[in-house]
């Protein structure tokens, strides 16, 4: 897409702090990091979200996430990791080009990625199962 900022970054039209690049992906440091070493996996081909991403690229993105988490953990000595992928504005997506956040976690870092657990009642469970189960 000609007006997509992540397409431009992924394809090298806009400079970035690149941690990794291959024919299909670029991994960059996030300019608004949640923690030290926060990176983004950007496919070079445009897809607005995971539903538009071809299955093969989705699989490769997860394998790349695993590889990069290992490298970042080894290099920065973080204590854990969040791999986050948002779809849709209500879910926190602000750039509508599929991307994955790799967020290193450190003890006491204060990064808030949690939620308050609810309860799954029997009626709701059955309704969801009847509508979604494959």
């Amino acid at each position: 897409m000609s007006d997509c900022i992540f397409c431009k970054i992924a394809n090298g039209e806009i400079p970035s702090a690149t941690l990794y690049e291959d024919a299909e992906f670029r991994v960059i440091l996030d300019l608004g990091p949640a923690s030290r070493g926060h990176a983004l996996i950007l496919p070079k081909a445009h897809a607005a979200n995971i539903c538009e991403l071809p299955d093969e690229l989705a699989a490769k993105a997860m394998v790349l996430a695993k590889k990069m988490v290992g490298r970042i953990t080894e290099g920065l000595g973080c204590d854990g990791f969040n791999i986050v992928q948002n779809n849709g504005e209500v879910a926190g997506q602000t750039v509508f080009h599929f991307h994955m956040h790799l967020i290193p976690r450190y003890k006491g870092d204060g990064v808030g990625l949690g939620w308050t657990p609810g309860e799954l009642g029997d009626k709701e469970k059955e309704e969801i199962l009847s509508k979604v189960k494959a």
Side-chain angles (χ1 to χ4, degrees), residues 1-11 13 23-26 41-55 57-58 93-99:
M1 272 185 106
S2 63
D3 62 340
C4 175
I5 188 86
F6 279 2
C7 281
K8 291 177 181 178
I9 293 169
N11 289 290
E13 296 172 42
E24 296 171 306
F25 295 95
R26 184 182 296 262
I41 294 177
L42 307 175
K44 292 182 176 181
H46 184 80
N49 55 48
I50 197 163
C51 296
E52 292 185 9
L53 193 68
D55 290 350
L57 273 184
Q93 186 177 11
T94 58
V95 178
F96 295 90
H97 178 110
F98 172 89
H99 57 286

Side-chain angles (χ1 to χ4, degrees), residues 47-104:
N49 55 48
I50 197 163
C51 296
E52 292 185 9
L53 193 68
D55 290 350
E56 181 180 314
L57 273 184
K60 287 180 178 181
M62 187 55 78
V63 171
L64 180 54
K66 179 181 174 186
K67 175 182 180 175
M68 293 307 303
V69 163
R71 290 175 76 167
I72 293 169
T73 299
E74 183 179 322
L76 300 181
C78 58
D79 301 306
F81 241 95
N82 290 108
I83 299 174
V84 178
Q85 202 283 303
N86 302 317
N87 291 278
E89 188 175 347
V90 71
Q93 186 177 11
T94 58
V95 178
F96 295 90
H97 178 110
F98 172 89
H99 57 286
M100 295 175 73
H101 294 263
L102 307 177
I103 305 172

Side-chain angles (χ1 to χ4, degrees), residues 34-36 76-82 103-112:
S35 69
R36 183 172 182 263
L76 300 181
C78 58
D79 301 306
F81 241 95
N82 290 108
I103 305 172
R105 300 302 304 271
Y106 305 90
K107 289 182 180 124
D109 65 16
V111 174

